[in-house]
Amino acid sequence: MTGNNIKNFSIVKLSWPIFIQRLLSMCLGYVDTAMVSNYSELAVGAIGNASQIINFLTLAFSIIATATGVVVSQYLGANKTEKMDQIYTLSVFFNLVLSGLISIIVTVFSTALLNFMKLPAVMMGDAEAYMRIVGLFLFTNGVMQVFTQIFNCNGRTEIGMLIFFFINVVNILGNYLFLFGPLENLGLGVKGVAISTSISNGVGLVISVIAFIFIIKGRISLKYFRPFPKAMLFKLIKLGIPTAGENISYNISQICITIFVNLLGPLAITTKIYCNILCNFSIVYSSSVAGAASIITGHAVGRGDYDYAYKRVMKTLFWAMLISMAIAGCNLLLSPFTFRLFTDNQDVIKLGFNIMLIGLFLEFGRTSNLVIIQSMRAAGDVVFPTVLGIFSMWGISVVFSWIFTRFFNFGLPGVWIAMAMDEIFRGIVVFIRWQRGTWRGKSVVRQ
């Protein structure tokens, strides 16, 4: 399969497996929340906070993984495939070592990290147990992120979809066994959920390695380190740090916002977790389409066809905006019923409906960010989104969340208003930048 072939793929052909893959990826955490909610509502808050810390720390994996996506797409687009195995090997080994370091941080400093989050003492025990068990197996996430990028950039987006399908099946079965099935008598509770999550990720890694060898026909070998490819590693890091910088900044800001929410009390904490679940479903479509557009953009830019990349992204943005807003609208109308999947607490359901209403405005800006920023990264324009993100997330989202909750007593709706302001501002700025074409000429492959 050549880069030119992938460049001409339809967005639908590439995006629908990514859509299913990301839906299943979200379900991996949401299934834990839904099944645990029938076990203990306090455990929901414990797992939610623990997962947020783990997800933030594992963003370090995306430094090389996202850079791998940029480099592989552009090299394939330029039909320069001689360095592929070296790139694959370098990326996998780098993330394997990095994930080992992150595992140590999660397991050793779990208590200190949860105390920093101001987690209520009643949730601390379950949260610590979950972090320590899942933390031991974080290397599976680090390596799988690289393989997923490799599959997608080679146009085989269906591989990641199938992998996450099997991960979810294993996870659901494991949760059932530990919470409600034959293993319930062990009394592991949240620990059992953590064990199930870790085993399912291990299964996903094994399938990823098999698919890489037999479908992608890739090779990973230490011989590609002789001589050590310092130039390629520098290129990956140079691309990866600013590329991952926006996501890292976003998650740090979300941790600060979560602290503000935790100070509002258990009602706000639980409602935020349920709202995040439902709001995330409304962006799965635009996120998957953005991923598909970035693959095409990378291949087009690798070939030097910037006009083609510009037109494909603008067309993608138009349809993504329409459909994501329609999904968000349906999400709002159905929220009084969907919240009942998690709780019968009327206060949570009422507060959640107000949050979903504000979410309509938030999704308008976020869709633009997802589609355009991912394509900017794929084109090699990686610094500007990070600088913009740091300024906007902290200057608008965090600052106004603090102001609205502390001085205006807006509560949780104030947090969502602040985040909507941030997303809309950034969406307007990146749209203007894409129109002006400032991203052109930043390819990492010499034409």
Side-chain angles (χ1 to χ4, degrees):
M1 181 179 294
T2 67
N4 292 338
N5 287 337
I6 296 175
K7 181 180 75 70
N8 293 318
F9 274 17
S10 70
I11 290 291
V12 174
K13 179 180 177 63
L14 288 173
S15 65
W16 76 262
I18 298 177
F19 174 83
I20 302 298
Q21 172 189 319
R22 296 189 178 181
L23 190 66
L24 292 171
S25 178
M26 288 196 309
C27 285
L28 190 61
Y30 297 160
V31 163
D32 286 349
T33 301
M35 297 183 76
V36 169
S37 67
N38 293 315
Y39 173 79
S40 167
E41 280 213 348
L42 289 176
V44 172
I47 291 179
N49 275 269
S51 295
Q52 185 163 12
I53 295 174
I54 292 172
N55 291 340
F56 165 70
L57 291 174
T58 55
L59 282 173
F61 305 159
S62 67
I63 293 175
I64 292 299
T66 52
T68 300
V70 174
V71 173
V72 170
S73 288
Q74 292 195 18
Y75 270 73
L76 289 175
N79 286 323
K80 295 182 178 182
T81 58
E82 66 277 1
K83 288 186 175 292
M84 287 296 99
D85 287 334
Q86 183 185 75
I87 296 170
Y88 298 156
T89 301
L90 193 60
S91 299
V92 168
F93 272 93
F94 187 96
N95 264 20
L96 184 60
V97 173
L98 183 61
S99 59
L101 296 175
I102 299 298
S103 291
I104 294 174
I105 293 174
V106 171
T107 54
V108 174
F109 299 102
S110 58
T111 302
L113 291 169
L114 290 166
N115 283 330
F116 175 77
M117 293 287 289
K118 307 296 182 184
L119 187 69
V122 70
M123 298 180 179
M124 187 64 73
D126 283 341
E128 286 179 330
Y130 187 86
M131 283 187 67
R132 288 171 181 167
I133 295 173
V134 173
L136 289 174
F137 298 93
L138 283 180
F139 72 93
T140 58
N141 299 68
V143 178
M144 272 200 298
Q145 280 195 29
V146 173
F147 281 129
T148 299
Q149 288 285 351
I150 292 171
F151 299 148
N152 290 348
C153 292
N154 277 274
R156 302 305 301 267
T157 54
E158 75 280 2
I159 297 177
M161 174 189 69
L162 293 173
I163 289 172
F164 276 95
F165 171 77
F166 286 111
I167 289 176
N168 272 269
V169 170
V170 174
N171 187 53
I172 292 171
L173 289 175
N175 286 350
Y176 173 78
L177 290 174
F178 283 111
L179 294 177
F180 315 109
L183 301 181
E184 180 185 5
N185 293 331
L186 297 177
L188 293 178
V190 171
K191 292 180 181 178
V193 173
I195 293 171
S196 175
T197 298
S198 300
I199 292 175
S200 62
N201 284 333
V203 171
L205 177 58
V206 171
I207 299 174
S208 296
V209 172
I210 294 173
F212 174 77
I213 295 173
F214 293 101
I215 299 178
I216 301 300
K217 307 295 184 182
R219 296 180 61 190
I220 294 177
S221 174
L222 291 176
K223 73 177 184 179
Y224 297 114
F225 289 164
R226 297 190 299 267
F228 189 78
K230 292 185 292 184
M232 182 58 70
L233 178 60
F234 178 75
K235 180 179 289 188
L236 289 170
I237 293 175
K238 183 179 179 181
L239 283 170
I241 289 178
T243 299
E246 187 206 358
N247 288 331
I248 292 173
S249 175
Y250 174 79
N251 279 269
I252 294 176
S253 69
Q254 288 297 303
I255 288 176
C256 290
I257 290 172
T258 298
I259 293 174
F260 301 153
V261 174
N262 287 346
L263 294 174
L264 295 174
L267 176 64
I269 294 173
T270 304
T271 304
K272 176 180 180 291
I273 292 171
Y274 295 151
C275 286
N276 280 338
I277 293 174
L278 297 180
C279 285
N280 283 339
F281 276 107
S282 69
I283 67 167
V284 172
Y285 171 80
S286 55
S287 177
S288 60
V289 169
S294 69
I295 295 171
I296 292 175
T297 298
H299 282 262
V301 169
R303 191 186 177 196
D305 196 346
Y306 290 97
D307 289 338
Y308 183 86
Y310 170 82
K311 293 175 182 178
R312 289 298 296 268
V313 170
M314 293 307 299
K315 182 179 180 180
T316 301
L317 177 61
F318 173 78
W319 288 107
M321 188 71 72
L322 285 180
I323 297 177
S324 64
M325 291 300 293
I327 294 173
C330 292
N331 210 0
L332 169 66
L333 297 176
L334 294 174
S335 61
F337 307 100
T338 51
F339 273 109
R340 294 185 185 277
L341 296 174
F342 307 106
T343 181
D344 292 324
N345 189 322
Q346 292 300 315
D347 291 332
V348 172
I349 295 172
K350 182 178 178 181
L351 179 58
F353 180 84
N354 293 332
I355 297 301
M356 302 306 293
L357 177 61
I358 301 170
L360 283 172
F361 299 92
L362 188 150
E363 298 307 330
F364 178 81
R366 183 151 54 186
T367 299
S368 180
N369 288 328
L370 285 169
V371 174
I372 297 178
I373 288 178
Q374 287 196 42
S375 291
M376 287 168 61
R377 291 172 181 166
D381 187 8
V382 296
V383 175
F384 180 81
T386 301
V387 175
L388 173 65
I390 292 173
F391 170 79
S392 181
M393 294 167 194
W394 291 93
I396 299 177
S397 190
V398 174
V399 169
F400 281 94
S401 290
W402 176 66
I403 291 173
F404 290 156
T405 56
R406 182 174 177 84
F407 298 104
F408 289 88
N409 294 321
F410 284 178
L412 192 60
V415 172
W416 246 257
I417 291 172
M419 291 192 296
M421 291 165 55
D422 164 36
E423 295 285 358
I424 292 172
F425 171 76
R426 281 189 292 136
I428 293 172
V429 173
V430 296
F431 179 81
I432 293 173
R433 183 174 178 84
W434 189 260
Q435 288 283 341
R436 290 181 175 177
T438 315
W439 50 276
R440 296 172 184 254
K442 297 182 182 293
S443 173
V444 300
V445 179
R446 292 186 179 182
Q447 303 300 329

